[in-house]
Amino acid sequence: MDLVDLKNEIVTGMTKNLYVFTGVESGMMKMYMNKMCSNIIRTDKFSDLIPKLEAPSLFRKKALYAVYNDNELLNVECGWDRIKQLIGKNKVVLIYYNLDKRSSFYHAMKDDVVEFDKLTESQLVSYVMKNITVNKATAEMIVERCNYDFNRIELELDKLKRLPFVDNKTIEELVTPLPEDVVFDMSAAMLAGDADLAFQLYKELKERNESPIKIIAILYMNFKNVMMVQAMQDKQNREITAATGLSSWQINHVRDKVGNYSLNNLLAVLRLIQGAEFGIKTGKIEQDMAMEKLMVDILALSERSQVPF
């Protein structure tokens, strides 16, 4: 099935109980899942869901279960009918960023597969113009500054919709290139001291072959921003902007992360990140090992994290 079919099913309230989402547009996947159900529970193992799926529906809140890249399901062969039986009247989306169309799994599930191919520039520009009142040139500027990433465009549009007027100057001031959605979410989880979510998202990034150096650079930027805002948390935005150069949006974006780490520990985190980057770039430590050690060391400094290591 294609996106038009999925959209029609959502509009008519006739969504199926099982879908398989595949492709590169993770932001669009999230958008469609949010339209299907506001309560999304994510996991990386379908087997972890079985007790919930088998529990009487009267005892749990309505939810959509999103299962990310569970390779075990790809190899169950004759068990796929059993999986559909387990799902029953529940809503489940199996998500694979890369799915072999020659596989038995694909052929068994082909009626439930929805492909999220990379959107073209013209499609993204049209989407922007449908959501905010801007001319084509300004829409193209937004798309370009978001690096043609649908999820980033969605986040920026949510911000821009609140403004009475948007022009090129507004875009230059407010829309800054930001990391891909999963890197951004992982960084937010680290800032919040949420160890389980941070490691789950890191696993997803590894499956995407995301560069550890890029992840480290984003972590450093975000922890540095939090440290600057936390050091001046009693000041107004304009005072923080004057002292740090951060925009009001950047300040507001990290205010809810203030207090999860002490100022001394934030400084220690920045030093840990610099050390990990040096170790990777000089070849003194293997990339995955460096990243996982860095995450454990950072989360151990959080006031809220309970690192199970």
Side-chain angles (χ1 to χ4, degrees):
M1 65 185 301
D2 58 25
L3 286 175
V4 174
D5 296 327
L6 176 60
K7 184 177 181 179
N8 289 336
E9 290 179 0
I10 293 172
V11 170
T12 59
M14 300 293 290
T15 54
K16 297 188 292 186
N17 301 106
L18 171 65
Y19 291 96
V20 180
F21 286 1
T22 183
V24 296
E25 289 290 359
S26 60
M28 283 194 69
M29 294 180 189
K30 288 182 180 179
M31 184 184 76
Y32 276 95
M33 286 192 290
N34 282 325
K35 288 181 178 180
M36 292 164 66
C37 182
S38 60
N39 181 30
I40 299 175
I41 299 174
R42 59 177 293 158
T43 181
D44 57 3
K45 285 189 176 182
F46 180 82
S47 58
D48 292 342
L49 291 182
I50 294 177
K52 295 179 181 179
L53 298 175
E54 293 181 329
S57 58
L58 293 175
F59 299 102
R60 52 188 165 79
K61 185 179 177 181
K62 181 182 178 182
L64 183 151
Y65 300 99
V67 185
Y68 283 80
N69 297 300
D70 186 353
N71 291 327
E72 291 181 3
L73 286 182
L74 300 179
N75 303 313
V76 295
E77 295 293 340
C78 298
W80 293 316
D81 288 338
R82 170 59 178 157
I83 288 170
K84 291 181 178 181
Q85 288 178 349
L86 283 171
I87 291 172
K89 295 183 179 180
N90 297 283
K91 299 288 185 183
V92 175
V93 176
L94 307 178
I95 298 168
Y96 294 94
Y97 296 119
N98 294 295
L99 187 58
D100 188 349
K101 293 184 178 181
R102 301 167 299 177
S103 66
S104 299
F105 176 85
Y106 183 89
H107 288 289
M109 301 289 189
K110 62 182 179 181
D111 292 338
D112 305 310
V113 173
V114 184
E115 297 186 31
F116 289 80
D117 296 324
K118 185 72 175 176
L119 295 176
T120 65
E121 180 179 1
S122 62
Q123 288 174 318
L124 292 171
V125 169
S126 296
Y127 182 79
V128 170
M129 294 178 71
K130 286 179 181 178
N131 281 271
I132 58 173
T133 305
V134 292
N135 59 36
K136 185 178 180 182
T138 302
E140 289 173 345
M141 185 178 182
I142 294 171
V143 170
E144 182 179 358
R145 291 177 77 85
C146 291
N147 200 29
Y148 306 92
D149 182 87
F150 178 82
N151 197 63
R152 290 303 321 147
I153 291 169
E154 272 283 277
L155 291 174
E156 296 298 345
L157 288 178
D158 184 63
K159 178 173 60 178
L160 295 171
K161 285 175 184 176
R162 307 170 194 272
L163 302 177
F165 178 74
V166 176
D167 60 9
N168 286 7
K169 185 178 179 180
T170 308
I171 304 306
E172 289 175 356
E173 292 177 350
L174 296 182
V175 180
T176 54
L178 288 173
E180 291 187 13
D181 59 303
V182 180
V183 184
F184 189 73
D185 290 345
M186 178 200 154
S187 178
M190 294 289 290
L191 288 165
D194 189 335
D196 289 339
L197 180 58
F199 274 93
Q200 183 176 333
L201 292 170
Y202 177 59
K203 178 182 177 182
E204 190 172 328
L205 289 170
K206 285 201 298 181
E207 291 169 347
R208 291 186 177 195
N209 295 316
E210 187 61 85
S211 165
I213 293 297
K214 177 180 176 180
I215 298 172
I216 284 174
I218 291 164
L219 285 174
Y220 187 87
M221 176 188 69
N222 287 333
F223 272 97
K224 183 179 179 181
N225 288 353
V226 169
M227 186 176 72
M228 289 190 290
V229 173
Q230 186 163 320
M232 303 180 68
Q233 61 181 304
D234 296 328
K235 305 293 184 181
Q236 294 184 358
N237 281 12
R238 64 175 182 272
E239 296 175 283
I240 299 176
T241 296
T244 65
L246 296 175
S247 69
S248 290
W249 184 83
Q250 288 174 307
I251 295 166
N252 292 332
H253 186 68
V254 299
R255 274 199 184 275
D256 64 337
K257 306 299 189 301
V258 165
N260 292 339
Y261 296 78
S262 69
L263 281 173
N264 285 338
N265 282 349
L266 284 169
L267 183 60
V269 166
L270 296 182
R271 289 171 177 162
L272 285 171
I273 295 172
Q274 290 174 327
E277 183 179 24
F278 178 80
I280 291 174
K281 287 183 175 179
T282 57
K284 291 186 176 181
I285 185 170
E286 191 269 332
Q287 290 188 359
D288 286 342
M289 184 182 298
M291 270 303 307
E292 291 177 8
K293 183 179 186 305
L294 175 63
M295 292 174 67
V296 171
D297 290 344
I298 290 175
L299 289 163
L301 296 173
S302 170
E303 302 292 324
R304 300 184 179 183
S305 177
Q306 295 182 346
V307 186
F309 302 100

PDB file of all heavy atoms in Angstrom, residues 108-121:
ATOM      1  N   ALA A 108       5.554 -11.863   2.963  1.00  0.00           N
ATOM      2  CA  ALA A 108       4.474 -12.259   3.868  1.00  0.00           C
ATOM      3  C   ALA A 108       3.668 -11.050   4.350  1.00  0.00           C
ATOM      4  O   ALA A 108       2.472 -11.149   4.612  1.00  0.00           O
ATOM      5  CB  ALA A 108       5.051 -13.018   5.064  1.00  0.00           C
ATOM      6  N   MET A 109       4.348  -9.905   4.455  1.00  0.00           N
ATOM      7  CA  MET A 109       3.712  -8.709   5.007  1.00  0.00           C
ATOM      8  C   MET A 109       3.410  -7.636   3.956  1.00  0.00           C
ATOM      9  O   MET A 109       3.039  -6.512   4.309  1.00  0.00           O
ATOM     10  CB  MET A 109       4.633  -8.088   6.080  1.00  0.00           C
ATOM     11  CG  MET A 109       4.958  -8.999   7.233  1.00  0.00           C
ATOM     12  SD  MET A 109       3.516  -9.262   8.285  1.00  0.00           S
ATOM     13  CE  MET A 109       4.266 -10.120   9.679  1.00  0.00           C
ATOM     14  N   LYS A 110       3.571  -7.939   2.681  1.00  0.00           N
ATOM     15  CA  LYS A 110       3.543  -6.901   1.653  1.00  0.00           C
ATOM     16  C   LYS A 110       2.255  -6.079   1.639  1.00  0.00           C
ATOM     17  O   LYS A 110       2.269  -4.893   1.285  1.00  0.00           O
ATOM     18  CB  LYS A 110       3.802  -7.499   0.273  1.00  0.00           C
ATOM     19  CG  LYS A 110       2.771  -8.504  -0.191  1.00  0.00           C
ATOM     20  CD  LYS A 110       3.168  -9.080  -1.559  1.00  0.00           C
ATOM     21  CE  LYS A 110       2.154 -10.103  -2.039  1.00  0.00           C
ATOM     22  NZ  LYS A 110       2.546 -10.666  -3.352  1.00  0.00           N
ATOM     23  N   ASP A 111       1.135  -6.685   2.027  1.00  0.00           N
ATOM     24  CA  ASP A 111      -0.126  -5.928   2.051  1.00  0.00           C
ATOM     25  C   ASP A 111      -0.166  -4.910   3.178  1.00  0.00           C
ATOM     26  O   ASP A 111      -1.011  -4.006   3.186  1.00  0.00           O
ATOM     27  CB  ASP A 111      -1.308  -6.891   2.197  1.00  0.00           C
ATOM     28  CG  ASP A 111      -1.509  -7.750   0.954  1.00  0.00           C
ATOM     29  OD1 ASP A 111      -1.046  -7.339  -0.127  1.00  0.00           O
ATOM     30  OD2 ASP A 111      -2.111  -8.831   1.082  1.00  0.00           O
ATOM     31  N   ASP A 112       0.752  -5.058   4.141  1.00  0.00           N
ATOM     32  CA  ASP A 112       0.790  -4.157   5.298  1.00  0.00           C
ATOM     33  C   ASP A 112       1.964  -3.184   5.230  1.00  0.00           C
ATOM     34  O   ASP A 112       2.134  -2.352   6.124  1.00  0.00           O
ATOM     35  CB  ASP A 112       0.891  -4.974   6.597  1.00  0.00           C
ATOM     36  CG  ASP A 112      -0.214  -6.008   6.719  1.00  0.00           C
ATOM     37  OD1 ASP A 112      -1.380  -5.627   6.528  1.00  0.00           O
ATOM     38  OD2 ASP A 112       0.095  -7.184   6.994  1.00  0.00           O
ATOM     39  N   VAL A 113       2.796  -3.294   4.192  1.00  0.00           N
ATOM     40  CA  VAL A 113       3.998  -2.463   4.081  1.00  0.00           C
ATOM     41  C   VAL A 113       3.658  -1.090   3.512  1.00  0.00           C
ATOM     42  O   VAL A 113       2.961  -0.973   2.505  1.00  0.00           O
ATOM     43  CB  VAL A 113       5.061  -3.146   3.188  1.00  0.00           C
ATOM     44  CG1 VAL A 113       6.242  -2.195   2.939  1.00  0.00           C
ATOM     45  CG2 VAL A 113       5.556  -4.433   3.848  1.00  0.00           C
ATOM     46  N   VAL A 114       4.168  -0.043   4.179  1.00  0.00           N
ATOM     47  CA  VAL A 114       4.055   1.329   3.690  1.00  0.00           C
ATOM     48  C   VAL A 114       5.474   1.874   3.547  1.00  0.00           C
ATOM     49  O   VAL A 114       6.241   1.885   4.516  1.00  0.00           O
ATOM     50  CB  VAL A 114       3.258   2.230   4.647  1.00  0.00           C
ATOM     51  CG1 VAL A 114       3.076   3.619   4.038  1.00  0.00           C
ATOM     52  CG2 VAL A 114       1.909   1.606   4.979  1.00  0.00           C
ATOM     53  N   GLU A 115       5.816   2.332   2.353  1.00  0.00           N
ATOM     54  CA  GLU A 115       7.171   2.816   2.098  1.00  0.00           C
ATOM     55  C   GLU A 115       7.217   4.342   2.212  1.00  0.00           C
ATOM     56  O   GLU A 115       6.411   5.038   1.611  1.00  0.00           O
ATOM     57  CB  GLU A 115       7.647   2.375   0.716  1.00  0.00           C
ATOM     58  CG  GLU A 115       7.745   0.852   0.600  1.00  0.00           C
ATOM     59  CD  GLU A 115       8.348   0.411  -0.723  1.00  0.00           C
ATOM     60  OE1 GLU A 115       9.185   1.162  -1.272  1.00  0.00           O
ATOM     61  OE2 GLU A 115       7.977  -0.676  -1.193  1.00  0.00           O
ATOM     62  N   PHE A 116       8.191   4.820   2.997  1.00  0.00           N
ATOM     63  CA  PHE A 116       8.388   6.251   3.203  1.00  0.00           C
ATOM     64  C   PHE A 116       9.677   6.666   2.503  1.00  0.00           C
ATOM     65  O   PHE A 116      10.739   6.765   3.107  1.00  0.00           O
ATOM     66  CB  PHE A 116       8.452   6.566   4.700  1.00  0.00           C
ATOM     67  CG  PHE A 116       7.136   6.425   5.412  1.00  0.00           C
ATOM     68  CD1 PHE A 116       6.668   5.168   5.790  1.00  0.00           C
ATOM     69  CD2 PHE A 116       6.357   7.535   5.697  1.00  0.00           C
ATOM     70  CE1 PHE A 116       5.457   5.021   6.446  1.00  0.00           C
ATOM     71  CE2 PHE A 116       5.138   7.408   6.348  1.00  0.00           C
ATOM     72  CZ  PHE A 116       4.684   6.146   6.717  1.00  0.00           C
ATOM     73  N   ASP A 117       9.564   6.882   1.214  1.00  0.00           N
ATOM     74  CA  ASP A 117      10.725   7.267   0.420  1.00  0.00           C
ATOM     75  C   ASP A 117      11.098   8.720   0.697  1.00  0.00           C
ATOM     76  O   ASP A 117      10.280   9.519   1.165  1.00  0.00           O
ATOM     77  CB  ASP A 117      10.433   7.096  -1.071  1.00  0.00           C
ATOM     78  CG  ASP A 117      10.183   5.633  -1.438  1.00  0.00           C
ATOM     79  OD1 ASP A 117      10.850   4.761  -0.836  1.00  0.00           O
ATOM     80  OD2 ASP A 117       9.321   5.366  -2.304  1.00  0.00           O
ATOM     81  N   LYS A 118      12.339   9.047   0.391  1.00  0.00           N
ATOM     82  CA  LYS A 118      12.832  10.419   0.583  1.00  0.00           C
ATOM     83  C   LYS A 118      11.994  11.385  -0.231  1.00  0.00           C
ATOM     84  O   LYS A 118      11.788  11.202  -1.437  1.00  0.00           O
ATOM     85  CB  LYS A 118      14.297  10.504   0.140  1.00  0.00           C
ATOM     86  CG  LYS A 118      14.953  11.852   0.418  1.00  0.00           C
ATOM     87  CD  LYS A 118      15.206  12.048   1.892  1.00  0.00           C
ATOM     88  CE  LYS A 118      15.977  13.338   2.164  1.00  0.00           C
ATOM     89  NZ  LYS A 118      16.150  13.578   3.612  1.00  0.00           N
ATOM     90  N   LEU A 119      11.489  12.434   0.428  1.00  0.00           N
ATOM     91  CA  LEU A 119      10.693  13.432  -0.268  1.00  0.00           C
ATOM     92  C   LEU A 119      11.579  14.323  -1.131  1.00  0.00           C
ATOM     93  O   LEU A 119      12.704  14.647  -0.756  1.00  0.00           O
ATOM     94  CB  LEU A 119       9.927  14.296   0.737  1.00  0.00           C
ATOM     95  CG  LEU A 119       8.863  13.583   1.575  1.00  0.00           C
ATOM     96  CD1 LEU A 119       8.264  14.543   2.582  1.00  0.00           C
ATOM     97  CD2 LEU A 119       7.776  13.002   0.686  1.00  0.00           C
ATOM     98  N   THR A 120      11.074  14.720  -2.263  1.00  0.00           N
ATOM     99  CA  THR A 120      11.825  15.599  -3.152  1.00  0.00           C
ATOM    100  C   THR A 120      11.765  17.034  -2.630  1.00  0.00           C
ATOM    101  O   THR A 120      10.926  17.379  -1.781  1.00  0.00           O
ATOM    102  CB  THR A 120      11.257  15.563  -4.574  1.00  0.00           C
ATOM    103  OG1 THR A 120       9.918  16.108  -4.549  1.00  0.00           O
ATOM    104  CG2 THR A 120      11.210  14.138  -5.105  1.00  0.00           C
ATOM    105  N   GLU A 121      12.633  17.875  -3.154  1.00  0.00           N
ATOM    106  CA  GLU A 121      12.641  19.282  -2.736  1.00  0.00           C
ATOM    107  C   GLU A 121      11.299  19.939  -3.034  1.00  0.00           C
ATOM    108  O   GLU A 121      10.765  20.686  -2.205  1.00  0.00           O
ATOM    109  CB  GLU A 121      13.767  20.037  -3.444  1.00  0.00           C
ATOM    110  CG  GLU A 121      13.830  21.516  -3.046  1.00  0.00           C
ATOM    111  CD  GLU A 121      14.951  22.263  -3.736  1.00  0.00           C
ATOM    112  OE1 GLU A 121      15.675  21.638  -4.540  1.00  0.00           O
ATOM    113  OE2 GLU A 121      15.103  23.471  -3.480  1.00  0.00           O
TER     114      GLU A 121
END
